[in-house]
Amino acid sequence: MTTARIVLLPGDGIGPEIVSVGQSVLEVVAQRFDHEFSFETGIIGGCAIDQSGTPLPEETLAACCSSDAILLGAVGGPKWDDPSAATRPEQGLLTLRKELGLFANLRPISAHPQLVDASPLKREIIEGVDILFVRELTGGIYFGESGRRESSGGEAAFSEMVYQQDEIERVVRLAAEAARGRSGKLTSVDKANVLEVSRLWRQVAERVVREEYADLEYDVVLVDAMAMHLISRPTDFDVVVTGNMFGDILTDEGSMLPGSLGLLPSASLGESGPGLYEPIHGSAPDIAGQGIANPLATVLAAAMLLRHSLGLETEAVAVEAAVAGVLDAGHRTADIAAGGPAIGTAEMGQLVLDALAG
Ligand code: NAD
């Protein structure tokens, strides 16, 4: 039996609607597999700014730090969008990631066979896609020195991309471990033909794999080539590890492959401590409160939580199978219904719970 403390951070917009489905799924998993999960709910993002003046109140951070895992909805919305505002919802998320040392972002991209025709790509390209992106999250160009200076050509600006050996080692190890649990194939993406920082990345990644993961099938791809391969032969990749900015761009490109934002989860993990699990979509303010949001990305994020933070692989697979079963049976929320008949958030959630309860 596993005992776990899970913090729920519904956030803004559709967040509360979809996180409540995620919680129900975890409760049914606990019941069916005889675990004990306790839940605590915290505020983050815009609603936290409204209630406490800050997007990440101390109580929320403290609850997260002492938890085993965190399930988040989404933050943000038009109410808090003023770029000149002193504090913004996404600062809550960035601070949380930083405080918890979440250095790796995992994004599985897989094409559900029933939804292949929703993809902007041809069926024969997308069928069978199953990629796990591992993006370094706390280093690289987004965290390097930046500034402006005078130059002979007028004002100049710079943003420095720095990676330390240990930052590369830990994310490559995490990706290599994930590859061992999948098909044993790992691809590292860099720009080593141009950037010194990428030459270090390549050198360190190759050494880690050679010394510790020689059983893996390993290759390296330049980021510009990867941008092409991702839409021309995405089924050739399994686990892909890359730096912060390259990962930012490639995962957004990758998220278009399956054709539905509402089905894609993500996990942010650190060396130890709780992981943060969330759908990749935002707070969808245009449909908030209408009961029509697709809860499946959050349900699949809950499956990742079971797998990566609680080590409950069988339970994670059961949740994923329940989602696949519901899609197989033809049930669709509006975002994936292609104009056909659609069900609401609660109904979709209930179908997953029924499938899971067996
Ligand atoms: P979005 O992902 O919220 O919405 C894009 C479109 O997809 C909308 O039409 C929306 O209705 C639809 N959509 C998204 N999730 C859906 C779901 N589960 N079911 C059905 N339809 C869904 O992106 P956006 O509109 O660019 O951003 C809205 C807000 O969310 C902004 O404030 C943005 O900053 C924030 N945001 C937050 C996160 C996060 O919390 N991690 C991520 C991205 C955007």
Side-chain angles (χ1 to χ4, degrees):
M1 188 184 93
T2 296
T3 304
R5 268 190 70 187
I6 298 167
V7 168
L8 304 168
L9 301 179
D12 306 314
I14 59 171
E17 302 164 54
I18 54 178
V19 167
S20 100
V21 175
Q23 177 179 4
S24 304
V25 164
L26 291 169
E27 282 168 351
V28 168
V29 166
Q31 225 168 46
R32 178 175 152 191
F33 293 90
D34 212 14
H35 301 303
E36 217 172 274
F37 299 161
S38 64
F39 297 94
E40 191 177 340
T41 301
I43 54 171
I44 189 168
C47 62
I49 294 176
D50 288 351
Q51 287 176 48
S52 71
T54 160
L56 183 68
E58 294 216 343
E59 312 82 72
T60 300
L61 179 59
C64 290
C65 287
S66 58
S67 73
D68 295 301
I70 303 153
L71 185 65
L72 175 100
V75 298
K79 184 175 175 194
W80 308 279
D81 257 357
D82 179 1
S84 61
T87 176
R88 291 170 54 87
E90 53 272 29
Q91 281 165 0
L93 204 45
L94 293 175
T95 311
L96 185 60
R97 286 183 184 144
K98 186 162 163 257
E99 291 291 328
L100 295 175
L102 304 175
F103 66 82
N105 184 246
L106 274 62
R107 272 201 199 185
I109 309 268
S110 57
H112 289 267
Q114 311 81 358
L115 296 173
V116 162
D117 293 324
S119 171
L121 298 185
K122 289 187 194 129
R123 172 176 272 272
E124 56 268 32
I125 289 179
I126 194 74
E127 228 161 15
V129 166
D130 186 8
I131 304 173
L132 177 65
F133 273 102
V134 180
R135 165 191 170 194
E136 202 288 328
L137 204 57
T138 52
I141 195 165
Y142 297 167
F143 292 88
E145 288 217 358
S146 65
R148 295 194 178 207
R149 61 178 174 233
E150 282 311 308
S151 76
S152 54
E155 192 179 15
F158 63 95
S159 298
E160 209 174 34
M161 191 195 271
V162 180
Y163 267 117
Q164 294 179 186
Q165 192 180 317
D166 58 348
E167 290 174 315
I168 304 166
E169 284 167 351
R170 64 184 183 180
V171 74
V172 169
R173 280 196 188 102
L174 195 145
E177 291 291 337
R180 266 194 184 149
R182 292 167 52 103
S183 75
K185 199 171 164 200
L186 177 65
T187 303
S188 174
V189 174
D190 61 38
K191 186 69 183 165
N193 56 339
V194 177
L195 301 174
E196 191 55 36
V197 61
S198 276
R199 284 192 273 275
L200 179 70
W201 179 286
R202 185 172 289 203
Q203 185 187 327
V204 171
E206 269 172 3
R207 178 179 48 73
V208 168
V209 173
R210 185 173 13 91
E211 289 177 0
E212 302 171 36
Y213 299 94
D215 52 308
L216 296 182
E217 189 187 327
Y218 177 70
D219 64 347
V220 291
V221 177
L222 292 172
V223 63
D224 41 348
M226 189 66 194
M228 293 192 290
H229 298 332
L230 208 46
I231 50 169
S232 59
R233 51 180 190 91
T235 46
D236 287 351
F237 300 96
D238 182 21
V239 177
V240 177
V241 62
T242 189
N244 204 342
M245 182 170 67
F246 299 156
D248 188 7
I249 297 165
L250 290 175
T251 53
D252 266 18
E253 184 188 355
S255 71
M256 291 310 294
L257 300 181
S260 172
L261 269 184
L263 288 176
L264 298 177
S266 87
S268 301
L269 306 178
E271 214 112 39
S272 57
L276 174 67
Y277 301 84
E278 55 185 311
I280 72 156
H281 59 72
S283 60
D286 51 335
I287 58 165
Q290 297 178 28
I292 59 169
N294 185 348
L296 295 182
T298 310
V299 170
L300 293 170
M304 291 187 85
L305 181 157
L306 293 165
R307 172 175 295 123
H308 296 287
S309 278
L310 308 186
L312 301 174
E313 178 65 21
T314 307
E315 289 79 345
V317 169
V319 172
E320 288 160 353
V323 169
V326 167
L327 291 173
D328 275 341
H331 302 293
R332 304 281 186 267
T333 43
D335 58 313
I336 51 174
I343 57 175
T345 312
E347 232 178 317
M348 181 58 101
Q350 192 55 50
L351 285 165
V352 173
L353 296 179
D354 293 346
L356 193 53

